[in-house]
Amino acid sequence: MSHERTYDRDADRLALLEATLSHAAFDGWSQKALDLGAKDAGIPLDRALNAFPGGMAELLAFYHEVEDRHMLEAMARANVADMRVRDRIAFAVKTRLQRNMRHREAIKSACSFLAMPHNAALALRVLYRSVDAMWYGAGDTATDFNFYTKRALLAGVYSSTVLYWLNDKSAGAADTWSFLDRRIDEVMQVPKVLGKVGAITSRLPNPFRVAQRMRPRGFRGARAARG
């Protein structure tokens, strides 16, 4: 019979995240912050290493996953389907930031951490996943080039709003919400412009259709062949 003590790794990850955030505000997203978080959570360092073998980069990615999940749950509870699209997106961004008011300094440190050249891939990955979650929660079903256009535009809105929010001293971050509304108003005009461009280009010869007519008989293409 084994007397080895078992533990819940998922519970450790959540406990470490919560405990480390307060230290990241002062010590940055560093090993020191993680060690202090483990001490506060009563988790031995070997278990902390097992929970986040990738160190603070992995913990920061996990933080974004947790926040994305909470945001989607809040959007579902609010039944955002009854809102205008712009209001759904505004709700998503506001929810994300309001949940983290008490961790604003830790997030400021996280931005510095992600700005380091060797963390560029991580920064892009967590940003993409967050804006993708926002559009998913908003009910977006685009599968054409609009899928990427919407996410690129929202990435700019979200990033600039976060940076504004980090330095906002107004009561209840009122200035941030006004800034967010202005940014959304600006980008909501872009699809209209793209639509007009698309209407014009649709009248021009389509090189892909021309190429398709020139294919040898029986040719299905790489995607079809893989399917």
Side-chain angles (χ1 to χ4, degrees), residues 94-189:
K94 287 181 181 179
T95 297
R96 187 67 176 267
L97 298 183
Q98 286 173 332
R99 255 187 60 82
N100 286 277
M101 283 293 191
R102 63 193 177 100
H103 297 309
R104 189 146 50 172
E105 290 304 315
I107 293 173
K108 187 177 292 188
S109 295
C111 289
S112 298
F113 181 85
L114 291 172
M116 296 178 182
H118 61 277
N119 289 325
L122 173 62
L124 287 174
R125 186 166 70 251
V126 297
L127 176 60
Y128 173 80
R129 286 179 176 174
S130 291
V131 297
D132 185 51
M134 290 175 186
W135 275 117
Y136 174 81
D140 178 57
T141 58
T143 56
D144 54 8
F145 75 95
N146 282 324
F147 178 93
Y148 300 101
T149 300
K150 289 178 179 179
R151 281 148 185 78
L153 291 172
L154 182 53
V157 171
Y158 180 56
S159 299
S160 60
T161 302
V162 169
L163 293 176
Y164 191 99
W165 170 74
L166 288 173
N167 298 288
D168 185 5
K169 306 300 182 183
S170 64
D175 289 349
T176 296
W177 312 143
S178 295
F179 175 85
L180 172 62
D181 287 339
R182 291 194 300 273
R183 294 290 289 121
I184 290 178
D185 285 341
E186 290 169 6
V187 301
M188 288 298 285
Q189 302 303 315

Side-chain angles (χ1 to χ4, degrees), residues 16-91:
L16 281 167
L17 173 60
E18 184 63 29
T20 302
L21 280 170
S22 59
H23 294 290
F26 301 99
D27 298 306
W29 289 77
S30 63
Q31 187 60 46
K32 179 181 179 181
L34 182 57
D35 291 347
L36 290 171
K39 182 178 179 181
D40 289 351
I43 296 175
L45 290 180
D46 60 333
R47 270 173 50 189
L49 180 60
N50 182 64
F52 294 107
M56 291 301 282
E58 185 176 351
L59 188 145
L60 184 52
F62 179 65
Y63 159 77
H64 280 83
E65 291 174 16
V66 170
E67 292 305 309
D68 288 343
R69 185 166 62 248
H70 282 300
M71 177 188 66
L72 288 173
E73 290 171 352
M75 294 178 78
R77 287 194 302 270
N79 194 20
V80 296
D82 293 336
M83 303 178 185
R84 295 179 301 168
V85 173
R86 69 172 317 286
D87 294 332
R88 298 175 199 178
I89 295 302
F91 180 90

